[in-house]
Amino acid sequence: MKVLMTEYLRIDLDTENWECRVCDHVIGEARDNYKKGLLVYNRDPADIHPSIIDPTKYKFTFCPDKDWVNIYEFYCPCCGTQMEVEYTLPGHEPLYDMEMDVDALKAQWSERDELLEPTTGPNVMVDRHSHNH
Amino acid sequence: MSKQKFTEQQLEDQELITKFLKDTTLFLGPDPEIMRDHSIMPRTQNEADCLEKYTDLNQIASIRDRLQSACEEGFEMVEQMGAAPGAKWGDIITGIYSASGDLTVGSASGVLIFSALVHHPIKFIIKNWIEEKTVGVREGDGFIHNDSRYGNVHNTDQSMILPVFHEGQLVCWVASTVHEGENGAIEPGGMPSMAETSFDEGLKMSPFKVVENYEIKKDLLTFLQNSVREPKLQYEDMKVKLFACMRLEQRIKEVFATDGPDALTACLRQTNESVVTEVRRRISEWPDMTVRTHVIMDSTLRENVLMKMNLTLKKKGDRLIFNFEGSSPEITNRAINTQLPGMKGMVGQAFMNHIWPDLPRGQAGLSHIEFETTPGSFVDCSYSAPNSQSLMSIFQAFTVAQHATAKMLYSCPDKYTRVLAPWHNMINTFIWGGVNQHGETLGNLCADLNGMGGGARMDRDGEHSLAPIFATMADIGEQELNEEEVPFLQLVSKKMTTNTQAPGKYRGGMGYTQIAATKDSDQWGFMTTSVGSKTPTIQGLFGGYAAGTIPLCKVADVDVYDVMLTKPEQFKHSIPEIMNEQPFDNATYSTHHLGLGFDISKRGELYMISQGSGGGYGDLLERDPAMVIQDIEESLITADWARKLYKVVFNEDTLAVDEKATQQLRDDYREQRKKQGVPYDEFVKKYVKDTPPKDIPFYGSWNGENDMVYCGNNEKRDAKNPGPIYMTNPKDVSIAELEEELAQVREQAGLEVKDKRK
Ligand SMILES: [Zn+2]
């Protein structure tokens, strides 16, 4: 059985591995940090958050200061999907963000049916077409 | 160790000692026993008896519904009649508390954080004033409170608390809390960034009796009015809160008449206990795991520094533990610290807003959740450190809580809301004060603080400027109405700030631009109190990005009202046009971080800010090209930037998407990622450092070594006992730099210093 852990990650309870949900690539052991099986890139914040006012004239420009913050991007080495992004201090180690208790997960899912798509929760959107008064 | 057995004599002695200590206490200061406990009180004998007597869940539900609608009625009253801007836009709560002081039913809308922290002052009253012969608690009494060291978020919030009796027996409590704004602090508006000690924060009301026989005592009222800049508001809102509480009391007495006081007691206890049970059940459904996250704060509102908000969230069985070790130590003379309950309340808010919005708005929702903090850190500051800008730290606590819980929630089969990326978390608004066009002294803020961009959800974009993280259903106010009372205009407002979205498969909801200029007063000024001008204040989720940063832009030496009369074509309606084109002759254009201390403004000078975007969700290469085009059409993003960011190919004129070319471009980019990305170990070797950046003051733990914290200046201290940290006034820093520069210039120029004596 496989458990969907994030938008792009799942755990195969039988093999105890992290897998990519996009390309099925086996990333690494579920008892370890999945990031160890990914590619990492230190992204320049200006690539994502543009200076909307002129950086040659002004100190603060809507663009983060790259000496103060780094953006780590984590990619699936097989399909290139961006699985995780971490805003962090320059030079800080990437966080071990999801440390799983695999045995507990197995026990928990032994009483559940496998989900191929994640549940979303109750739908509270108003159906706009039903209000024609 | 065997159980100790005391003789009767020993017990008597102990009682005498306790009484002696109680009678000789010189000061009933903030009480850690009350303040460090957020759980519901143990079941009392009376509650147990009532629960045994009343077991019909239908009756209990019917009483609870009546209490809930009473709270909504009280909420409406305060919102409609309250004078404070905060009251008008819903920055309030009304609630019903058990005899032991636990909040059981709170108004559904409004500021939910209050539901986790207004119980502390009631518990203080119960502990100290009921038996105290000079005070006492009787029918018709009302107690006022604002000091955050006795409960509440910050001193700008004031509560009115009334006991409810039945035939002489205390059955429950009712309370109403409002973000009042002005409170006589060193800066107007109630949230001074300049506070360097707790005594700079204005009124410090420990809970005291201000109402007898349902009437406000005039002598105490006058003292309070005399201590603040808005004496009329102080009076009006005390009356409004009192009458809302009296209405709640009336509704409760109607329940006494139909069902009896014991049924009400059973209802309150049953509600709280069943919520705790349900919370434990829901937590059990989450996967057992540990999630680590952090956000970075870039300012104390006085100077730019790096402060870490660190969270290790551990879930095991039915236990959920928020561990904040490794977070920045308190800055002892800066206002951004928080008392522990404020931080817990904000985490509670994350649950009530975004995780379990279906649970009753009470204290029980948070009761079972555990917290681990380091006393003396900025999430659990000492009683002497100021906390008037605690919003800065507790908002970061909200974000890490939201970010970490999302990673636990995704796999759960039963969800009560969408999994979503962190909401924007900063109050980008203008706080204002001075003398208005009618000659009245005012100090308060614009309701635009309520327009934070919503986080992107697992199946759709975030909503623009939707709601603040501290209230799900709050209003952003009518600027035209405000302008009747304040002497400034918002020349641009409610216009989304282009190219500031947090990208992802689903993007965050965006914020709007606000451009304000004083018009009809010579004594008026603004301040802004947000962090996030150098580093983003949130995280994205599952490959989505955070929002960018937001500066304060100012244009001085101009009167735009003159410009509008004489050269109207010069006025522009966006920050980039004004700042990049510099359209006004001889004006001075400058940018600043968002921690602007109170600044006297001249007529027609521009103060320009923007709200922020909620976080993005998922890989941006998966964003539906049609949604990218829609954002271009709505001026949320420019065509150039959309093409570059989202790798979408479209016709410049028709905006028709070339699906095939887009697919190719995106496939190519995925290949490029595989080239630019390096394996984890190699990346760590290349980029990870053993110490924080040398030239930036940093506060907090480094690389997960949470037993030591950096305290600026590359100095490491014991995290358990970091000691006080005092910062130099930024003006003194600047003067020292200028003096040094001047000395160098003098030396180079060969100028003698006239008086060399030290
Ligand atoms: Zn993949």
Side-chain angles (χ1 to χ4, degrees):
Chain A
M1 192 196 287
K2 297 183 181 193
V3 182
L4 311 178
M5 293 307 303
T6 80
E7 181 76 11
Y8 302 114
L9 289 165
R10 67 174 176 243
I11 289 176
D12 185 327
L13 294 179
D14 304 319
T15 63
E16 297 191 2
N17 281 324
W18 288 103
E19 295 178 355
C20 172
R21 287 181 60 197
V22 178
C23 72
D24 301 333
H25 172 71
V26 175
I27 293 163
E29 290 172 21
R31 293 176 194 272
D32 201 355
N33 184 355
Y34 69 86
K35 287 179 179 171
K36 290 183 181 172
L38 302 182
L39 300 175
V40 199
Y41 180 63
N42 195 9
R43 169 68 68 185
D44 183 344
D47 292 345
I48 309 299
H49 308 290
S51 292
I52 69 169
I53 58 176
D54 187 347
T56 63
K57 288 194 182 105
Y58 302 112
K59 272 190 207 166
F60 299 93
T61 68
F62 290 85
C63 176
D65 184 334
K66 70 171 183 225
D67 294 333
W68 285 55
V69 63
N70 279 180
I71 303 176
Y72 296 164
E73 297 179 347
F74 299 88
Y75 310 136
C76 172
C78 184
C79 67
T81 296
Q82 181 164 295
M83 301 186 137
E84 185 65 21
V85 168
E86 194 177 311
Y87 286 66
T88 195
L89 297 147
H92 199 281
E93 67 181 12
L95 297 176
Y96 184 5
D97 65 330
M98 294 173 77
E99 185 180 344
M100 303 305 304
D101 182 336
V102 177
D103 299 323
L105 195 69
K106 282 178 160 177
Q108 190 172 46
W109 281 86
S110 68
E111 291 161 19
R112 290 176 177 170
D113 292 330
E114 184 165 2
L115 290 174
L116 297 176
E117 285 301 322
T119 56
T120 54
N123 209 338
V124 291
M125 286 289 279
V126 176
D127 181 1
R128 291 196 175 90
H129 302 291
S130 66
H131 285 257
N132 298 323
H133 42 77
Chain B
M1 213 163 66
S2 66
K3 240 185 182 176
Q4 284 187 354
K5 287 216 172 75
F6 296 106
T7 64
E8 217 150 279
Q9 183 58 46
Q10 279 173 318
L11 283 173
E12 221 168 81
D13 289 351
Q14 188 58 41
E15 221 165 85
L16 265 174
I17 291 167
T18 309
K19 186 178 180 318
F20 174 77
L21 287 174
K22 204 176 164 200
D23 290 349
T24 51
T25 300
L26 291 178
F27 171 51
L28 289 170
D31 187 339
E33 192 181 284
I34 295 172
M35 291 295 288
R36 301 196 74 81
D37 189 358
H38 64 283
S39 308
I40 60 170
M41 298 296 277
R43 194 194 271 194
T44 62
Q45 189 54 51
N46 182 46
E47 285 171 334
D49 295 345
C50 294
L51 283 172
E52 209 158 287
K53 212 159 113 193
Y54 292 92
T55 51
D56 177 1
L57 290 181
N58 287 323
Q59 184 187 14
I60 282 175
S62 139
I63 295 172
R64 187 166 54 232
D65 285 351
R66 287 167 71 185
L67 299 181
Q68 185 68 52
S69 62
C71 289
E72 303 313 325
E73 187 183 3
F75 181 94
E76 267 314 292
M77 285 173 72
V78 179
E79 193 176 38
Q80 296 298 328
M81 301 192 303
K88 288 178 195 146
W89 67 63
D91 211 341
I92 49 184
I93 197 170
T94 49
I96 298 168
Y97 300 73
S98 72
S100 312
D102 293 333
L103 174 63
T104 309
V105 185
S107 46
S109 42
V111 174
L112 303 178
I113 181 174
F114 290 149
S115 41
L117 15 103
V118 187
H119 62 105
H120 297 113
I122 297 180
K123 286 167 185 170
F124 181 91
I125 294 167
I126 293 170
K127 185 171 175 180
N128 297 297
W129 296 158
I130 288 182
E131 297 291 325
E132 170 57 49
K133 64 179 190 294
T134 61
V135 188
V137 175
R138 298 173 198 93
E139 192 155 7
D141 285 350
F143 295 81
I144 195 169
H145 159 255
N146 85 319
D147 188 338
S148 58
R149 299 171 306 170
Y150 292 80
N152 247 352
V153 189
H154 45 197
N155 290 12
T156 186
D157 301 329
Q158 297 189 22
S159 297
M160 180 66 79
I161 299 162
L162 264 65
V164 180
F165 286 84
H166 180 262
E167 293 173 356
Q169 285 295 314
L170 177 70
V171 181
C172 62
W173 299 79
V174 294
S176 163
T177 305
V178 176
H179 178 113
E180 292 291 357
E182 177 48 32
N183 67 355
I186 51 165
E187 290 174 295
M191 300 196 299
S193 316
M194 304 299 272
E196 296 211 358
T197 78
S198 62
F199 298 102
D200 297 332
E201 298 176 317
L203 281 176
K204 304 206 85 66
M205 298 189 280
S206 51
F208 66 90
K209 196 189 292 185
V210 73
V211 170
E212 272 175 2
N213 296 320
Y214 301 103
E215 283 189 290
I216 295 170
K217 287 160 69 82
K218 207 87 195 215
D219 54 345
L220 291 176
L221 169 69
T222 306
F223 161 68
L224 296 175
Q225 290 178 296
N226 192 40
S227 307
V228 299
R229 292 174 184 81
E230 295 200 42
K232 286 197 289 190
L233 179 140
Q234 182 65 33
Y235 181 34
E236 198 175 337
D237 279 4
M238 280 172 68
K239 273 205 307 201
V240 167
K241 281 177 289 195
L242 173 61
F243 280 98
C245 286
M246 286 165 63
R247 181 63 62 86
L248 283 169
E249 185 196 41
Q250 181 192 331
R251 297 300 178 219
I252 287 167
K253 289 193 167 174
E254 287 166 11
V255 174
F256 292 168
T258 55
D259 297 75
D262 289 354
L264 184 123
T265 297
C267 167
L268 298 182
R269 190 66 203 177
Q270 201 277 345
T271 300
N272 273 348
E273 289 188 5
S274 57
V275 168
V276 172
T277 306
E278 175 63 4
V279 163
R280 294 176 66 163
R281 189 193 67 79
R282 291 186 182 190
I283 291 172
S284 304
E285 296 289 304
W286 296 14
D288 281 10
M289 63 190 291
T290 300
V291 172
R292 295 178 185 84
T293 183
H294 59 217
V295 285
I296 310 160
M297 197 159 120
D298 68 1
S299 147
T300 64
L301 297 176
R302 301 283 299 283
E303 53 273 286
N304 283 117
V305 296
L306 281 173
M307 299 170 77
K308 188 201 256 189
M309 174 66 75
N310 200 43
L311 173 64
T312 308
L313 178 61
K314 192 166 185 178
K315 186 267 163 185
K316 192 162 178 57
D318 68 356
R319 292 180 68 193
L320 187 64
I321 305 158
F322 285 83
N323 180 312
F324 284 91
E325 287 163 12
S327 296
S328 168
E330 84 177 25
I331 312 290
T332 314
N333 64 343
R334 289 295 179 264
I336 41 73
N337 310 293
T338 184
Q339 289 290 319
L340 178 62
M343 182 277 280
K344 289 179 179 176
M346 209 62 210
V347 172
Q349 177 93 32
F351 280 89
M352 280 181 275
N353 276 10
H354 297 300
I355 299 173
W356 302 321
D358 57 324
L359 291 184
R361 271 69 170 100
Q363 194 190 323
L366 195 66
S367 183
H368 175 69
I369 293 168
E370 298 167 62
F371 292 87
E372 293 172 349
T373 55
T374 309
S377 67
F378 82 146
V379 292
D380 184 2
C381 75
S382 65
Y383 291 133
S384 56
N387 63 65
S388 43
Q389 281 293 352
S390 62
L391 297 185
M392 297 305 111
S393 45
I394 67 178
F395 288 171
Q396 313 287 348
F398 178 99
T399 298
V400 289
Q402 196 174 30
H403 191 228
T405 50
K407 290 182 176 177
M408 292 191 174
L409 285 165
Y410 189 91
S411 69
C412 295
D414 289 325
K415 298 187 179 71
Y416 304 89
T417 51
R418 294 289 185 277
V419 168
L420 81 170
W423 214 260
H424 197 77
N425 66 358
M426 276 294 133
I427 41 170
N428 298 350
T429 190
F430 293 110
I431 300 180
W432 39 254
V435 180
N436 76 352
Q437 63 268 45
H438 312 300
E440 289 169 332
T441 303
L442 300 180
N444 231 298
L445 74 167
C446 293
D448 301 285
L449 88 163
N450 284 350
M452 297 178 188
R457 291 154 288 186
M458 63 191 294
D459 58 352
R460 62 188 78 140
D461 287 344
E463 301 277 351
H464 303 312
S465 303
L466 183 61
I469 53 175
F470 47 81
T472 36
M473 287 180 279
D475 194 4
I476 48 175
E478 288 294 332
Q479 183 56 27
E480 288 74 12
L481 274 182
N482 295 340
E483 283 165 6
E484 290 176 12
E485 283 176 22
V486 294
F488 69 92
L489 302 184
Q490 282 208 21
L491 298 169
V492 175
S493 182
K494 320 288 192 284
K495 184 186 176 190
M496 294 300 154
T497 313
T498 309
N499 284 350
T500 57
Q501 64 182 233
K505 174 181 178 179
Y506 299 107
R507 57 139 178 79
M510 293 171 64
Y512 58 75
T513 296
Q514 303 146 65
I515 302 184
T518 299
K519 187 167 166 285
D520 302 312
S521 173
D522 296 329
Q523 296 177 66
W524 195 257
F526 297 103
M527 57 189 273
T528 57
T529 60
S530 290
V531 304
S533 295
K534 288 176 86 70
T535 69
T537 56
I538 59 171
Q539 297 274 1
L541 189 65
F542 302 153
Y545 292 96
T549 49
I550 296 159
L552 164 72
C553 300
K554 272 165 73 171
V555 186
D557 306 317
V558 64
D559 182 343
V560 292
Y561 297 109
D562 281 351
V563 171
M564 285 172 167
L565 280 176
T566 55
K567 299 172 188 163
E569 70 282 358
Q570 278 190 359
F571 187 78
K572 308 287 177 183
H573 290 81
S574 75
I575 295 173
E577 284 172 295
I578 291 172
M579 296 301 283
N580 293 340
E581 296 172 21
Q582 302 193 343
F584 315 120
D585 306 329
N586 305 319
T588 308
Y589 301 80
S590 61
T591 61
H592 311 263
H593 68 75
L594 276 171
L596 172 74
F598 187 69
D599 194 34
I600 299 287
S601 72
K602 293 204 192 85
R603 181 187 147 98
E605 292 182 341
L606 299 179
Y607 292 75
M608 309 190 283
I609 57 174
S610 171
Q611 297 163 334
S613 170
Y617 180 101
D619 184 351
L620 48 61
L621 291 187
E622 294 185 3
R623 184 162 179 76
D624 182 348
M627 293 168 87
V628 176
I629 300 299
Q630 192 179 338
D631 281 357
I632 297 171
E633 288 172 333
E634 293 177 2
S635 298
L636 300 178
I637 189 167
T638 55
D640 283 350
W641 190 247
R643 190 182 290 115
K644 183 168 181 259
L645 197 61
Y646 287 105
K647 319 292 178 208
V648 178
V649 184
F650 54 88
N651 181 295
E652 190 79 18
D653 301 320
T654 64
L655 296 181
V657 174
D658 183 335
E659 300 280 354
K660 219 176 137 193
T662 298
Q663 189 59 49
Q664 188 57 53
L665 194 62
R666 288 180 168 188
D667 287 346
D668 292 349
Y669 195 70
R670 286 189 179 93
E671 287 306 312
Q672 188 183 318
R673 279 176 176 170
K674 283 152 71 177
K675 285 187 198 111
Q676 73 198 15
V678 297
Y680 184 88
D681 289 340
E682 202 178 305
F683 182 87
V684 166
K685 219 174 275 171
K686 189 169 171 194
Y687 286 101
V688 173
K689 305 274 188 293
D690 292 336
T691 55
K694 289 266 179 284
D695 46 352
I696 301 172
F698 169 69
Y699 300 83
S701 70
W702 190 254
N703 285 352
E705 290 160 17
N706 292 342
D707 51 338
M708 297 296 278
V709 283
Y710 280 84
C711 299
N713 304 324
N714 307 304
E715 183 198 347
K716 251 201 298 195
R717 296 188 195 169
D718 178 6
K720 291 267 179 275
N721 189 21
I725 296 172
Y726 287 94
M727 290 193 173
T728 312
N729 189 324
K731 282 209 169 86
D732 291 335
V733 174
S734 182
I735 288 168
E737 283 167 3
L738 290 170
E739 280 180 343
E740 198 184 315
E741 207 175 309
L742 184 65
Q744 281 173 9
V745 171
R746 277 182 178 278
E747 202 180 303
Q748 280 164 13
L751 287 172
E752 279 279 314
V753 178
K754 276 181 196 152
D755 189 348
K756 284 182 181 163
R757 293 175 301 171
K758 293 286 180 195

